[in-house]
Amino acid sequence: MLGTGENIRTGTSIASLKKAILDNLYYIQGRTPELATKNDWYMAVAYTVRDRMLRHFIHSLKRMQDAKVKIVSYLSAEFLMGPHLGNNLLNLGITDQTRQAAKEIGLELNDLLAQEEEPGLGNGGLGRLAACYMDSLASLTVPAIGYGIRYEFGIFDQEIHDGWQVEKTDKWLRLGNPWEICRPEISYEVNFGGHTAQYLDDKGCFRVRWNPHRVVKGIAYDTPVPSYRDDMVDMLRLWKSEAIESFDFQAFNVGDYYKAVDMKVVSETVSKVLYPNDEPEIGKTLRLAQQYFFVSCSLQDMIRIHLARGKGIETFHESFAVQLNDTHPSIAVAELMRLLVDEHLMDWDSAWQITGKTMAYTNHTLLPEALEKWPLPLFKRTLPRHLEIIYEINRRFLDDVRHRYPGDDGLVARLSLIDESGEKYVRMAHLASVGSHRINGVAALHSNLLTRTVLKDLYDLYPDRFVNVTNGVTPRRWIALSNPSLTALITRSIGDRWIRHFEDEIRKIEPLADDAGFRQEWRKIKRKNKARLAAIIQERTGIVPNPDSLFDIQVKRIHEYKRQHLNVLNIITLYNRIRKNPGQEIIPRTFIFGGKAAPGYFMAKLIIKLINSVAEVINTDQDVAGRLTVVFFPDFNVKSAQHIYPAAELSEQISTAGKEASGTGNMKFSMNGALTIGTLDGANVEIREEVGQENFFLFGLSAEEVHNEKARGYRPRDYYDSNPCLREVIEQIWSGYFSRGDAELFRPLVENLLNHDPFMLLADYQSYIDCQDGVSSAYHDQERWTRMSILNVARMGKFSSDRSIREYCDTIWNIKLTKGG
Ligand code: NBG
């Protein structure tokens, strides 16, 4: 029986949900319960949940037609949303009813949650940040559209074979995607290649026409992004590339069927696959095509929405605040100019004003080699009209620079949008900066270093444009969804307002750090989460971790600057101590690693092999049995992350100071009660400030010390020569101790450390080891450790993405928050 007055599509009583699931199974999946597969059931439940978002979704889209409302347009080549079902149930507040409804049908909700294949449309932190920001935008009831690419294949699935990473195609769409709504009628044409022609229009004005070589079409796929327990449902609009019909036609007319099909294949290639690098790779035409493709569709869509509000094009910036998530979408500066000047016939100066007021740019990296630049010939071949526009932007920009700094040719060359120091390149960070009214870094240290290193000249020119917005993560997915037991405990203690108002409310658990009963429950929950993770690890790897050992975890992309191999040096050091003194008492530890290496990044892949090789030796050594365990958790992604963070006790944030822009995993760990061992890098600095230095394990050189040591001429070999423990560890790796006698395998890694060590592992080694000893002794005192853990969570308010979004609204988008403030 349905609850009184309940609708089959919207009702949230157990009876309504149950009926709806069975209905959707029949009418959407075309199955009866007897024949339904697990995926059929998952789909039926997913559609049932989606139905319950649509009323608010449609209403929110209607609100976007209101000319008074400014819409945030978050342009990002990556959105790492994670599995939708659990999160949507949570945000709608119908998890318990749905669990019960499923149960009455004979289904386990957890099995259905496990059935969902996550959309891995991102590489790491940058893509996941975009997803957290979408959650906060909706929850703060800010109208927002996330614009990106609907990659057919997301980030590869990682398998481990013989200790090595093997990449497998991610076929996430294979079984269908119930969360998206395809909108074939929302589509735009995007041009590529060809040439431009100048002409005088009927008023005698100089105009440019672009005659492209190729045209593809972008189709919108919309995914609702619900707020946490509020009416707002924002939208993720991803573009899929397709062939335009006219091309098929032409070929058909001359009877060339195969050419028509070829054209279709080429067009569909644009949104085919996510580039699996978290640093850009120079010279991939397809990547530039992807960037331009999604940016052009998105800007055309925004202009359509703006004009549909009945407003003139000259007020575009009042309708949209466009945020460029790194330089990947920075072609938007030139594309908006093209649309305004060439298509909407606006004069250059007005168009430039509007562009600057609309755009803002977030930088996510300090690694100079990671700043995107495109070889000029490639750029010209792909986007001839945009190159002309960029030249014109550059001409005016550099005139201004010359005017302000007469005679400084060096400065002009450094600031130019075109790098002419050797082979010519278009500098995308410069384009983004010149075309934006705000430029931000993602943590205080990072923003500060930006103005002193990679963007220094731009900062000197436009100091008022630079601001900091420290990253944040959503406490909904990362605590309420991932850690239900902790969520229940906190809610029992301080009520449930903390989930929505994390910034102010979570602090209320601070006094409970002194409550022995609370501490005991806290520990029980951690123990339970560890046991749950241990079971998953056993299932995935065959390794059986001891749930009473200290869970010491490093999960993130594999990169030399993140220094997973420094962690390995500590593991081997501990191992050597036990070998020499088997009877000694030590705190048992389980070291867990997870993360993907870019497929072409040799050293990162070798680090994975090293971890697995060390694991093999240590895990099978009877002398250490149960005391040290090393695990490489394969295929780290959002789904597995939700099991990993809640089980962590120690969070490894050990990048070389000055290299990690912010980090966001560091926040997820700390929010789940892990203590951090870390350097003064990225947001670690602010996390330590918030939780208190006595609740944070700090080690290593500061960014400034790293800089100075390098300036003095860093010699890693000096550290090697003078530290016997370090020497022993390096020699073991070198000699084949962990590679069955193969002394060649890890040679590139060891030689790099001894001769160059660009990330200064050897300089930080002893400080890291000492700090790890401090961790062990702190862990010895479980009451003290628990107190520190509680204080970490209590003081994480600042790192809610709600706070970040509030700051973006205030200092960048000029949007007044109506609610939740
Ligand atoms: C990454 C940084 C991280 C940061 C995220 C989100 C890129 C280019 N940058 O430190 O490495 O947390 O961006 O800002 O992926």
Side-chain angles (χ1 to χ4, degrees):
M1 275 281 114
L2 294 188
T4 40
E6 280 211 337
N7 180 301
I8 181 82
R9 296 278 191 197
T10 57
T12 57
S13 68
I14 293 166
S16 297
L17 289 165
K18 194 168 143 189
K19 176 88 174 61
I21 294 168
L22 291 166
D23 239 46
N24 282 332
L25 183 74
Y26 193 90
Y27 286 103
I28 296 188
Q29 288 306 102
R31 287 272 199 240
T32 56
E34 302 74 53
L35 289 176
T37 63
K38 191 188 273 181
N39 193 63
D40 288 325
W41 283 116
Y42 161 74
M43 296 291 272
V45 172
Y47 281 115
T48 302
V49 174
R50 193 183 87 175
D51 285 343
R52 278 139 189 85
M53 298 194 288
L54 285 185
R55 191 161 53 91
H56 289 317
F57 186 45
I58 289 163
H59 185 252
S60 300
L61 292 180
K62 270 217 188 96
R63 256 190 65 192
M64 288 193 191
Q65 296 167 1
D66 177 349
K68 290 189 291 294
V69 173
K70 194 173 196 178
I71 302 170
V72 172
S73 162
Y74 200 83
L75 293 191
S76 180
E78 304 186 5
F79 286 91
L80 196 46
M81 300 297 280
H84 291 291
L85 177 57
N87 197 252
N88 290 341
L89 286 169
L90 169 77
N91 280 13
L92 294 174
I94 56 170
T95 308
D96 293 343
Q97 301 93 298
T98 307
R99 187 182 302 278
Q100 185 57 30
K103 197 171 188 168
E104 290 179 14
I105 299 174
L107 305 166
E108 259 315 314
L109 182 60
N110 289 352
D111 292 343
L112 299 172
L113 292 169
Q115 176 65 24
E116 179 170 358
E117 189 148 356
E118 72 173 82
L121 309 187
N123 272 289
L126 175 141
R128 183 53 231 178
L129 185 77
C132 283
Y133 282 1
M134 289 307 295
D135 181 83
S136 284
L137 281 161
S139 296
L140 293 169
T141 69
V142 179
I145 306 176
Y147 281 113
I149 301 172
R150 182 180 176 276
Y151 300 105
E152 186 177 336
F153 304 116
I155 185 70
F156 61 86
D157 293 336
Q158 180 193 56
E159 291 180 4
I160 302 296
H161 295 182
D162 185 31
W164 294 96
Q165 166 175 297
V166 175
E167 300 93 21
K168 292 282 155 87
T169 337
D170 156 63
K171 302 198 178 116
W172 71 288
L173 290 168
R174 188 182 36 171
L175 298 176
N177 173 7
W179 303 104
E180 66 187 6
I181 298 172
C182 174
R183 310 246 184 234
E185 76 288 4
I186 301 186
S187 84
Y188 302 94
E189 293 191 353
V190 180
N191 297 343
F192 292 99
H195 58 273
T196 62
Q198 309 181 340
Y199 69 99
L200 291 180
D201 68 13
D202 42 12
K203 295 202 193 76
C205 286
F206 174 82
R207 299 272 167 215
V208 178
R209 190 178 6 245
W210 178 11
N211 300 309
H213 167 67
R214 186 154 73 89
V215 184
V216 306
K217 183 171 78 173
I219 310 261
Y221 282 75
D222 295 345
T223 302
V225 180
S227 54
Y228 180 74
R229 315 265 163 110
D230 208 325
D231 297 348
M232 180 65 100
V233 177
D234 276 332
M235 174 165 72
L236 180 64
R237 176 162 282 175
L238 303 180
W239 303 102
K240 173 179 192 283
S241 64
E242 287 192 359
I244 57 168
E245 294 79 359
S246 56
F247 259 106
D248 297 0
F249 252 141
Q250 270 173 6
F252 273 125
N253 287 344
V254 295
D256 194 344
Y257 174 75
Y258 291 102
K259 186 165 172 229
V261 175
D262 269 359
M263 237 22 226
K264 192 166 150 57
V265 171
V266 170
S267 300
E268 287 176 359
T269 302
V270 175
S271 61
K272 189 65 85 178
V273 60
L274 167 76
Y275 277 86
N277 292 331
D278 41 3
E279 286 172 46
E281 224 180 311
I282 289 180
K284 292 285 190 280
T285 308
L286 181 59
R287 178 147 169 110
L288 180 61
Q290 288 186 334
Q291 296 182 351
Y292 177 59
F293 164 74
F294 96 87
V295 162
S296 180
C297 289
S298 308
L299 282 169
Q300 292 185 62
D301 195 43
M302 288 178 241
I303 289 177
R304 176 187 59 84
I305 294 170
H306 173 72
L307 296 179
R309 291 169 154 199
K311 305 216 327 188
I313 189 76
E314 66 290 346
T315 56
F316 178 72
H317 58 282
E318 293 173 10
S319 286
F320 285 95
V322 174
Q323 193 65 33
L324 307 174
N325 196 27
D326 217 294
T327 52
H328 316 143
S330 58
I331 191 65
V333 171
E335 173 66 355
L336 183 55
M337 286 302 287
R338 188 191 70 82
L339 289 167
L340 295 178
V341 172
D342 291 0
E343 309 271 326
H344 292 269
L345 309 181
M346 192 181 275
D347 66 277
W348 183 278
D349 289 322
S350 311
W352 186 241
Q353 288 276 322
I354 291 170
T355 301
K357 285 182 191 163
T358 305
M359 304 284 166
Y361 157 52
T362 306
N363 172 290
H364 294 266
T365 183
L366 282 162
L367 306 181
E369 68 275 18
L371 289 183
E372 241 184 344
K373 51 182 191 174
W374 292 104
L376 205 85
L378 181 158
F379 198 98
K380 185 169 183 173
R381 242 183 295 127
T382 314
L383 300 171
R385 178 58 185 141
H386 295 78
L387 187 60
E388 291 174 359
I389 291 172
I390 287 170
Y391 280 150
E392 182 61 15
I393 295 172
N394 202 31
R395 187 182 67 76
R396 292 166 182 248
F397 168 58
L398 294 181
D399 275 352
D400 182 41
V401 174
R402 285 194 197 91
H403 183 73
R404 286 164 66 175
Y405 301 91
D408 195 342
D409 291 344
L411 179 67
V412 170
R414 290 199 307 276
L415 277 171
S416 174
L417 305 193
I418 312 294
D419 177 350
E420 303 191 66
S421 55
E423 237 184 282
K424 292 187 182 177
Y425 294 98
V426 184
R427 293 167 164 157
M428 300 312 272
H430 291 213
L431 176 63
S433 301
V434 170
S436 295
H437 67 286
R438 288 282 183 280
I439 302 162
N440 76 286
V442 290
L445 175 68
H446 169 236
S447 294
N448 190 282
L449 290 174
L450 269 184
T451 65
R452 299 202 277 138
T453 59
V454 287
L455 299 182
K456 176 179 188 310
D457 294 319
L458 284 158
Y459 173 70
D460 291 342
L461 199 62
Y462 304 130
D464 297 343
R465 287 191 192 183
F466 283 75
V467 294
N468 171 247
V469 182
T470 298
N471 284 166
V473 302
T474 171
R476 268 78 64 182
R477 183 177 290 272
W478 295 114
I479 308 177
L481 179 63
S482 306
N483 202 340
S485 313
L486 190 69
T487 299
L489 174 63
I490 296 174
T491 298
R492 273 205 307 283
S493 312
I494 61 170
D496 66 2
R497 271 177 54 85
W498 64 274
I499 300 173
R500 195 206 269 263
H501 303 280
F502 192 73
E503 303 160 75
D504 317 315
E505 294 282 323
I506 193 63
R507 207 167 261 287
K508 291 189 180 159
I509 65 165
E510 192 166 323
L512 295 163
D514 292 326
D515 176 333
F518 187 81
R519 286 201 303 270
Q520 196 184 357
E521 290 195 66
W522 192 270
R523 270 196 300 278
K524 254 178 34 204
I525 289 164
K526 186 60 85 181
R527 176 65 173 69
K528 185 171 131 195
N529 292 339
K530 286 164 69 182
R532 183 176 67 150
L533 179 61
I536 298 173
I537 288 173
Q538 181 170 6
E539 188 189 306
R540 303 275 290 267
T541 68
I543 300 168
V544 189
N546 168 8
D548 290 315
S549 63
L550 192 173
F551 274 30
D552 175 336
I553 309 190
Q554 186 171 20
V555 284
K556 49 180 77 242
R557 286 300 288 256
I558 312 291
H559 244 289
E560 288 166 279
Y561 85 78
K562 295 177 188 280
R563 302 200 294 192
Q564 280 90 356
H565 44 341
L566 178 59
N567 190 338
V568 173
L569 297 185
N570 175 55
I571 296 173
I572 301 176
T573 304
L574 293 179
Y575 175 59
N576 288 341
R577 285 188 198 160
I578 298 182
R579 282 196 315 134
K580 284 178 197 150
N581 186 357
Q584 96 169 300
E585 281 251 334
I586 67 147
I587 296 284
R589 283 206 206 199
T590 299
F591 297 91
I592 300 165
F593 295 84
K596 296 174 186 178
Y601 187 172
F602 168 73
M603 208 60 108
K605 291 179 127 175
L606 194 56
I607 291 174
I608 294 179
K609 175 67 176 168
L610 176 66
I611 294 167
N612 283 310
S613 302
V614 170
E616 195 181 300
V617 170
I618 293 184
N619 295 347
T620 54
D621 187 328
Q622 290 310 314
D623 282 349
V624 294
R627 294 196 282 178
L628 298 182
T629 307
V630 182
V631 175
F632 189 91
F633 192 106
D635 202 38
F636 177 62
N637 56 14
V638 176
K639 201 178 190 180
S640 50
Q642 289 176 193
H643 297 299
I644 292 174
Y645 294 120
E649 294 178 288
L650 187 66
S651 152
E652 299 272 352
Q653 307 300 333
I654 60 179
S655 52
T656 318
K659 298 292 178 193
E660 189 70 88
S662 163
T664 44
N666 45 6
M667 302 167 188
K668 295 161 200 165
F669 273 112
S670 200
M671 280 186 186
N672 282 282
L675 305 188
T676 305
I677 181 164
T679 48
L680 283 179
D681 201 16
N684 295 354
V685 177
E686 291 156 81
I687 291 176
R688 178 167 172 266
E689 263 165 33
E690 292 295 307
V691 304
Q693 57 178 43
E694 67 286 6
N695 299 309
F696 186 105
F697 297 98
L698 178 70
F699 76 96
L701 300 175
S702 66
E704 205 181 327
E705 287 163 346
V706 165
H707 179 85
N708 294 341
E709 174 102 19
K710 286 216 165 139
R712 273 202 302 274
Y714 170 53
R715 290 170 26 142
R717 227 173 248 276
D718 292 350
Y719 292 90
Y720 172 82
D721 289 336
S722 63
N723 188 329
C725 286
L726 172 61
R727 202 162 57 229
E728 184 181 15
V729 169
I730 299 262
E731 267 155 22
Q732 279 168 300
I733 299 175
W734 203 338
S735 66
Y737 188 99
F738 299 104
S739 43
R740 304 180 188 165
D742 181 350
E744 284 305 307
L745 183 58
F746 297 119
R747 178 192 287 273
L749 209 147
V750 172
E751 283 185 347
N752 187 259
L753 286 182
L754 288 181
N755 299 325
H756 310 288
D757 192 17
F759 301 104
M760 307 192 102
L761 280 78
L762 304 202
D764 275 347
Y765 169 81
Q766 194 55 52
S767 163
Y768 182 54
I769 299 292
D770 295 342
C771 193
Q772 285 285 17
D773 289 340
V775 168
S776 293
S777 56
Y779 195 75
H780 215 78
D781 180 351
Q782 279 289 298
E783 291 297 346
R784 173 172 161 227
W785 184 277
T786 311
R787 189 174 290 119
M788 291 165 79
S789 168
I790 296 168
L791 291 180
N792 258 264
V793 177
R795 298 175 181 174
M796 285 301 288
K798 172 171 174 183
F799 303 99
S800 163
S801 43
D802 298 347
R803 188 268 315 148
S804 311
I805 289 301
R806 244 185 255 290
E807 290 182 10
Y808 277 99
C809 286
D810 254 23
T811 63
I812 300 183
W813 301 330
N814 192 19
I815 287 177
K816 298 255 168 307
L817 289 171
T818 47
K819 256 197 203 171

